[in-house]
Amino acid sequence: MDGNRMDLPSLDKLRELEKNARIEGSGIEFESLLGLWKFNSVWKQGSDKEDSISSTLLQVLSASLELKKDRQNAEEENFTIANSIKFGLLTLRFSGYANLERKQPLLPFSFDCIQIKLASLTILNKSLPAPDQKKKPFFALIAIDPNGKWLSARGKGGGLALWIKDK
């Protein structure tokens, strides 16, 4: 491995980790998820090839997933979550709340706000309606690198995603 590029797990390795996570749990804990995760790659459900168009597009748009401790309920382990993309000076950001459930675990989330910014100027800041509890999107967390360098999960729609921790 050269100094600039980290070794990322192959799709086969991710599938193996996913099988183990479904049976034994992933061992992913609240604290290890905190931070800014830059999108790296995605595989569509049932595909053996990386969805290179989506992966490249999401990398070019600096797609990210940000998880912070929800300070409103400090005694509970809940997150504030944000998904954002950038196109030049334009930023599109969805924000809301997430929490860990079950052993694998699942990270169900809902966005309650959409924000569009041009540089530092907010163009749109709009509340979003709460989704039905049964229809909430989620990530089934698969694995996290022992050194916290990458995170993998399968979304509600079946796609597999890999993020890299931002320094």
Side-chain angles (χ1 to χ4, degrees), residues 39-44 47-60 160:
F39 184 84
N40 187 73
S41 32
V42 67
W43 295 266
K44 286 183 180 155
S47 176
D48 288 334
K49 289 195 172 70
E50 181 179 342
D51 183 348
S52 56
I53 294 171
S54 295
S55 293
T56 301
L57 189 61
L58 289 165
Q59 287 174 17
V60 167
L160 185 63

Side-chain angles (χ1 to χ4, degrees), residues 11-151:
L11 177 58
D12 287 340
K13 179 65 176 169
L14 289 175
R15 285 180 173 156
E16 183 186 315
L17 289 166
E18 183 175 28
K19 259 186 221 160
N20 292 340
R22 285 185 174 156
I23 297 164
E24 300 164 18
S26 65
I28 294 175
E29 294 183 6
F30 181 84
E31 294 290 328
S32 65
L33 292 170
L34 297 173
L36 182 63
W37 298 91
K38 295 284 189 187
F39 184 84
N40 187 73
S41 32
V42 67
W43 295 266
K44 286 183 180 155
Q45 185 174 15
S47 176
D48 288 334
K49 289 195 172 70
E50 181 179 342
D51 183 348
S52 56
I53 294 171
S54 295
S55 293
T56 301
L57 189 61
L58 289 165
Q59 287 174 17
V60 167
L61 294 174
S62 302
S64 66
L65 170 71
E66 186 175 21
L67 294 165
K68 293 181 177 175
K69 187 165 179 44
D70 180 5
R71 300 278 177 221
Q72 307 258 321
N73 302 308
E75 69 284 348
E76 290 179 43
E77 288 193 332
N78 291 322
F79 298 100
T80 57
I81 185 172
N83 256 350
S84 65
I85 57 171
K86 292 181 168 85
F87 188 74
L89 297 175
L90 200 63
T91 301
L92 173 64
R93 177 183 168 95
F94 291 90
S95 57
Y97 298 92
N99 63 292
L100 287 177
E101 289 180 3
R102 305 207 299 250
K103 195 167 73 167
Q104 183 170 4
L106 290 182
L107 181 75
F109 59 92
S110 62
F111 296 124
D112 60 6
C113 181
I114 181 174
Q115 190 177 58
I116 299 175
K117 284 181 147 186
L118 184 60
S120 60
L121 178 69
T122 301
I123 298 170
L124 175 76
N125 196 8
K126 186 175 191 286
S127 293
L128 298 171
D132 181 319
Q133 280 303 105
K134 291 180 176 69
K135 294 180 179 170
K136 267 176 120 171
F138 63 81
F139 290 118
L141 301 177
I142 294 170
I144 194 165
D145 175 64
N147 300 315
K149 293 185 167 123
W150 55 262
L151 169 68

